[in-house]
Amino acid sequence: MKIIIKKDYQELSKSAAILVKERIKKKPDLVLGLATGSTPLGLYQELIRLYEKGEIDFSQITTFNLDEYLGLEASSPNSYHFYMFHNFFNYINIKKENIFIPKGITEKPKEDCLRYEEKIKEKGGIDLQILGIGSNGHIGFNEPGSSFRSLIRVVSLNKKTIRDNARFFKNKKDVPKKAISMGIRTILSAKEIVLLASGEKKSEIIEKVINKKVTKKVPASCLKKHKNVTLIIDQKAASKII
Ligand code: PGA
């Protein structure tokens, strides 16, 4: 696992954006796995800036998002569909048909999940997967205890995640209790993985991921089994390892 420590959030975001830019330059039809939450916002802003300067062309890339809340319409401001379009896709030249996000409203979640995994394979697999990390160590919505063999599926969010995510909702009771999330195996099938973490609140979990053994209790520890993982973290998130 390669670890890059940046001075602050802005530098972290820039460094991640440069990495994405380089990968797209090398492979214009890159298959990119994307994450939501507060951490990748700076990366998306930086990518939009590079696009506006004419430094990146997104016209041939395909994206697969990690997860979506179950029960939220794409038009709901709290859905990850809404997040992705309003923070990124609306501002770049990606083709709509190349955007894949798990459906939040579905009568057949199992079938949708199977189709999502198949779609990833059909596109040749994910070349580069961007991840955030929950304070409980989750990646995507793979909460502690998730099987390392898991594929995309319906998952129940744990109490800590619901509490962490409540900040985005008017009422805590509105935070969905379930989501559809790529599994750990899905994530580990990506050819390259970049995990971003920023701030003091992530320092404890980053220390665990780096120094403790691989365990289902800390889902992100599974990344140590992968050959091409880079952690890009800021000094605050790195404060317990340096
Ligand atoms: P955050 O969430 O970026 O909002 O801290 C990360 C995550 O839960 O994966």
Side-chain angles (χ1 to χ4, degrees):
M1 204 149 69
K2 194 170 146 197
I3 303 166
I4 298 175
I5 300 173
K6 290 286 165 186
K7 181 166 71 73
D8 54 23
Y9 179 64
Q10 207 183 347
E11 292 300 312
L12 171 161
S13 304
K14 275 191 186 159
S15 159
I18 289 167
L19 189 144
V20 172
K21 179 180 135 175
E22 281 169 359
R23 298 303 182 270
I24 295 177
K25 208 171 213 174
K26 239 191 231 164
K27 188 172 187 266
D29 60 346
L30 193 83
V31 180
L32 186 58
L34 294 175
T36 49
S38 8
T39 312
L41 283 173
L43 162 65
Y44 296 144
Q45 279 161 17
E46 197 54 33
L47 287 173
I48 292 168
R49 205 180 61 79
L50 293 173
Y51 166 69
E52 285 170 349
K53 280 171 70 186
E55 293 187 25
I56 310 189
D57 175 16
F58 294 101
S59 64
Q60 293 181 57
I61 72 158
T62 297
T63 61
F64 285 94
N65 263 79
L66 280 170
D67 46 18
E68 177 58 288
Y69 287 119
L70 198 64
L72 290 193
E73 301 276 355
S75 59
S76 157
N78 284 119
S79 76
Y80 289 159
H81 277 78
F82 191 94
Y83 170 109
M84 287 310 303
F85 280 88
H86 288 262
N87 291 306
F88 191 36
F89 296 146
N90 286 348
Y91 304 98
I92 59 167
N93 66 336
I94 188 169
K95 292 199 183 93
K96 257 206 160 144
E97 63 267 29
N98 290 344
I99 295 171
F100 297 91
I101 307 175
K103 276 193 220 156
I105 300 283
T106 169
E107 278 171 13
K108 296 175 178 156
K110 274 195 182 153
E111 282 177 27
D112 287 354
C113 288
L114 272 176
R115 222 172 301 136
Y116 203 80
E117 287 285 345
E118 276 165 16
K119 202 69 191 173
I120 295 175
K121 283 199 189 117
E122 204 181 292
K123 295 280 177 183
I126 293 173
D127 293 304
L128 171 63
Q129 175 67 55
I130 305 294
L131 296 176
I133 181 168
S135 58
N136 63 2
H138 74 201
I139 47 175
F141 275 131
N142 294 288
E143 302 287 28
S146 297
S147 162
F148 286 180
R149 289 192 303 273
S150 53
L151 296 173
I152 186 163
R153 68 210 183 286
V154 173
V155 293
S156 297
L157 308 187
N158 84 7
K159 280 196 187 125
K160 195 154 191 214
T161 298
I162 293 171
R163 218 171 36 233
D164 283 353
N165 289 357
R167 69 188 194 280
F168 298 112
F169 291 79
K170 269 198 200 122
N171 294 310
K172 194 177 166 230
K173 65 169 181 31
D174 294 337
V175 186
K177 310 285 182 293
K178 287 190 170 188
I180 295 192
S181 176
M182 275 189 201
I184 303 251
R185 192 158 111 203
T186 325
I187 292 171
L188 291 180
S189 318
K191 292 164 198 132
E192 178 177 10
I193 300 174
V194 169
L195 182 141
L196 309 175
S198 163
E200 183 67 42
K201 63 182 189 304
K202 297 291 167 70
S203 61
E204 231 167 83
I205 195 68
I206 287 296
E207 192 278 328
K208 274 191 196 155
V209 170
I210 292 172
N211 293 332
K212 302 271 157 40
K213 62 178 189 350
V214 175
T215 165
K216 282 201 289 187
K217 286 185 199 153
V218 180
S221 68
C222 73
L223 298 175
K224 291 202 261 205
K225 290 166 160 282
H226 193 281
K227 286 193 180 70
N228 193 4
V229 175
T230 306
L231 261 52
I232 307 180
I233 60 182
D234 61 14
Q235 274 175 4
K236 286 186 177 157
S239 58
K240 293 201 166 53
I241 54 161
I242 48 176

PDB file of all heavy atoms in Angstrom, residues 37-39 132-134 138 167 202, ligand 1:
ATOM      1  N   GLY A  37     -19.935  11.454  -0.482  1.00  0.00           N
ATOM      2  CA  GLY A  37     -19.499  11.911   0.843  1.00  0.00           C
ATOM      3  C   GLY A  37     -18.763  13.228   0.710  1.00  0.00           C
ATOM      4  O   GLY A  37     -18.596  13.755  -0.400  1.00  0.00           O
ATOM      5  N   SER A  38     -18.303  13.779   1.835  1.00  0.00           N
ATOM      6  CA  SER A  38     -17.635  15.091   1.757  1.00  0.00           C
ATOM      7  C   SER A  38     -16.224  14.998   1.196  1.00  0.00           C
ATOM      8  O   SER A  38     -15.744  15.932   0.549  1.00  0.00           O
ATOM      9  CB  SER A  38     -17.592  15.803   3.107  1.00  0.00           C
ATOM     10  OG  SER A  38     -18.032  15.002   4.135  1.00  0.00           O
ATOM     11  N   THR A  39     -15.546  13.885   1.424  1.00  0.00           N
ATOM     12  CA  THR A  39     -14.125  13.808   1.060  1.00  0.00           C
ATOM     13  C   THR A  39     -13.830  14.016  -0.442  1.00  0.00           C
ATOM     14  O   THR A  39     -12.943  14.795  -0.773  1.00  0.00           O
ATOM     15  CB  THR A  39     -13.523  12.476   1.549  1.00  0.00           C
ATOM     16  OG1 THR A  39     -13.915  12.302   2.922  1.00  0.00           O
ATOM     17  CG2 THR A  39     -12.018  12.485   1.458  1.00  0.00           C
ATOM     18  N   GLY A 132     -13.669   6.768  -0.318  1.00  0.00           N
ATOM     19  CA  GLY A 132     -13.515   7.486   0.940  1.00  0.00           C
ATOM     20  C   GLY A 132     -13.451   6.414   2.016  1.00  0.00           C
ATOM     21  O   GLY A 132     -13.414   5.209   1.711  1.00  0.00           O
ATOM     22  N   ILE A 133     -13.464   6.810   3.259  1.00  0.00           N
ATOM     23  CA  ILE A 133     -13.504   5.814   4.337  1.00  0.00           C
ATOM     24  C   ILE A 133     -14.394   6.346   5.448  1.00  0.00           C
ATOM     25  O   ILE A 133     -14.319   7.531   5.803  1.00  0.00           O
ATOM     26  CB  ILE A 133     -12.072   5.476   4.846  1.00  0.00           C
ATOM     27  CG1 ILE A 133     -12.117   4.418   5.953  1.00  0.00           C
ATOM     28  CG2 ILE A 133     -11.323   6.718   5.319  1.00  0.00           C
ATOM     29  CD1 ILE A 133     -10.750   3.818   6.302  1.00  0.00           C
ATOM     30  N   GLY A 134     -15.270   5.501   5.970  1.00  0.00           N
ATOM     31  CA  GLY A 134     -16.110   5.908   7.092  1.00  0.00           C
ATOM     32  C   GLY A 134     -15.286   5.886   8.376  1.00  0.00           C
ATOM     33  O   GLY A 134     -14.252   5.215   8.440  1.00  0.00           O
ATOM     34  N   HIS A 138     -15.689   1.705   7.095  1.00  0.00           N
ATOM     35  CA  HIS A 138     -16.401   1.190   5.916  1.00  0.00           C
ATOM     36  C   HIS A 138     -15.842   1.788   4.626  1.00  0.00           C
ATOM     37  O   HIS A 138     -15.319   2.898   4.602  1.00  0.00           O
ATOM     38  CB  HIS A 138     -17.916   1.369   6.030  1.00  0.00           C
ATOM     39  CG  HIS A 138     -18.439   2.752   5.840  1.00  0.00           C
ATOM     40  ND1 HIS A 138     -19.666   3.152   6.311  1.00  0.00           N
ATOM     41  CD2 HIS A 138     -17.929   3.847   5.225  1.00  0.00           C
ATOM     42  CE1 HIS A 138     -19.870   4.412   5.985  1.00  0.00           C
ATOM     43  NE2 HIS A 138     -18.839   4.866   5.333  1.00  0.00           N
ATOM     44  N   ARG A 167     -25.784  14.490   9.338  1.00  0.00           N
ATOM     45  CA  ARG A 167     -25.491  15.897   9.089  1.00  0.00           C
ATOM     46  C   ARG A 167     -25.997  16.389   7.736  1.00  0.00           C
ATOM     47  O   ARG A 167     -26.189  17.580   7.531  1.00  0.00           O
ATOM     48  CB  ARG A 167     -23.983  16.163   9.226  1.00  0.00           C
ATOM     49  CG  ARG A 167     -23.108  15.554   8.160  1.00  0.00           C
ATOM     50  CD  ARG A 167     -21.629  15.749   8.546  1.00  0.00           C
ATOM     51  NE  ARG A 167     -20.694  15.493   7.461  1.00  0.00           N
ATOM     52  CZ  ARG A 167     -20.296  14.286   7.084  1.00  0.00           C
ATOM     53  NH1 ARG A 167     -20.779  13.203   7.694  1.00  0.00           N
ATOM     54  NH2 ARG A 167     -19.430  14.147   6.103  1.00  0.00           N
ATOM     55  N   LYS A 202     -10.585  11.187  10.934  1.00  0.00           N
ATOM     56  CA  LYS A 202     -10.234   9.944  10.218  1.00  0.00           C
ATOM     57  C   LYS A 202      -8.899   9.367  10.699  1.00  0.00           C
ATOM     58  O   LYS A 202      -8.486   8.300  10.238  1.00  0.00           O
ATOM     59  CB  LYS A 202     -10.176  10.203   8.705  1.00  0.00           C
ATOM     60  CG  LYS A 202     -11.497  10.634   8.071  1.00  0.00           C
ATOM     61  CD  LYS A 202     -12.517   9.519   8.044  1.00  0.00           C
ATOM     62  CE  LYS A 202     -13.919   9.993   7.704  1.00  0.00           C
ATOM     63  NZ  LYS A 202     -14.094  10.424   6.334  1.00  0.00           N
TER      64      LYS A 202
HETATM   65  P1  PGA B   1     -17.081  11.357   4.251  1.00  0.00           P
HETATM   66  O1  PGA B   1     -17.627   9.877   4.162  1.00  0.00           O
HETATM   67  O2  PGA B   1     -16.234  11.572   3.041  1.00  0.00           O
HETATM   68  O3  PGA B   1     -18.319  12.219   4.217  1.00  0.00           O
HETATM   69  O4  PGA B   1     -16.294  11.475   5.510  1.00  0.00           O
HETATM   70  C1  PGA B   1     -16.756   8.862   3.812  1.00  0.00           C
HETATM   71  C2  PGA B   1     -17.491   7.539   3.806  1.00  0.00           C
HETATM   72  O5  PGA B   1     -18.410   7.352   4.620  1.00  0.00           O
HETATM   73  O6  PGA B   1     -17.128   6.678   3.002  1.00  0.00           O
END
